[in-house]
Every structure is written in C-alpha cells, then in structure tokens.
Amino acid sequence: MDGHSSEDSKQSTADMTVFVQSLLQQMQSRFQTMSGSIITKIDEMGNRVNELEQSINDLKAEMGVEGSPSPLAPSNQKSDEAKQEEGSA
C-alpha cells in the first residue's frame, strides 16, 4: 500500500505543478495585456497633450501674444527676487 500512496502523492504533486505553471502563464499573459493597454493609453494621452499645446500656441499666435511670458515666469521672478533679498540681507 505504501508504494501505491507514494505514486498517488507523486501524481498529485505533478498535477499541482502543472496547475501552478498554467496559472502563472495566465497571470503573465494578463499582465502583458494590461501593460500594453496602459502604454497605449499613456501614448494617447501624450498625443492629446501635444495637440492641446499646439492649439494653445495657435491661439496665442492668433491673438498676437506669441512673445508673452509663460504662466510659470512670474513665479520664477518671485523666487529670483527672494534670492536677491537674501543676498542683500
């Protein structure tokens, strides 16, 4: 009987190994699919941001304010002024 239960144990272990390998392959496939989908969405978002930026630049050109500073410029000027005040103090 011990020989028979040993064979059952080996078969059970083999079945479990096959099951786990199959499960891991399914998970890997799903992660690859999700990864591809996420990368595609990020690329699409990047393209939309580029289109939006181009539209903003086109509107600025139509309004004739092409040379105006970006919205970030005032905050940079404030930090430069703060640095100058620190240096003179």
Side-chain angles (χ1 to χ4, degrees):
M1 281 197 135
D2 288 336
H4 187 64
S5 67
S6 176
E7 288 178 20
D8 288 345
S9 177
K10 287 179 183 178
Q11 183 61 41
S12 177
T13 302
D15 290 344
M16 183 62 73
T17 300
V18 169
F19 173 76
V20 170
Q21 287 176 340
S22 174
L23 187 62
L24 289 172
Q25 287 174 346
Q26 289 175 7
M27 289 174 61
Q28 182 179 10
S29 175
R30 289 180 183 169
F31 279 123
Q32 287 175 338
T33 301
M34 287 174 56
S35 176
S37 176
I38 291 169
I39 290 171
T40 299
K41 294 290 183 186
I42 289 172
D43 288 343
E44 289 172 1
M45 285 176 39
N47 290 335
R48 291 175 70 182
V49 167
N50 290 340
E51 291 172 4
L52 180 60
E53 185 177 18
Q54 185 60 48
S55 295
I56 290 170
N57 288 335
D58 291 346
L59 288 171
K60 287 169 67 175
E62 285 178 22
M63 294 173 54
V65 290
E66 184 66 34
S68 68
S70 70
L72 295 177
S75 65
N76 288 342
Q77 289 175 348
K78 289 178 185 176
S79 65
D80 289 343
E81 290 171 3
K83 289 177 184 174
Q84 288 175 353
E85 289 176 11
E86 288 176 7
S88 64

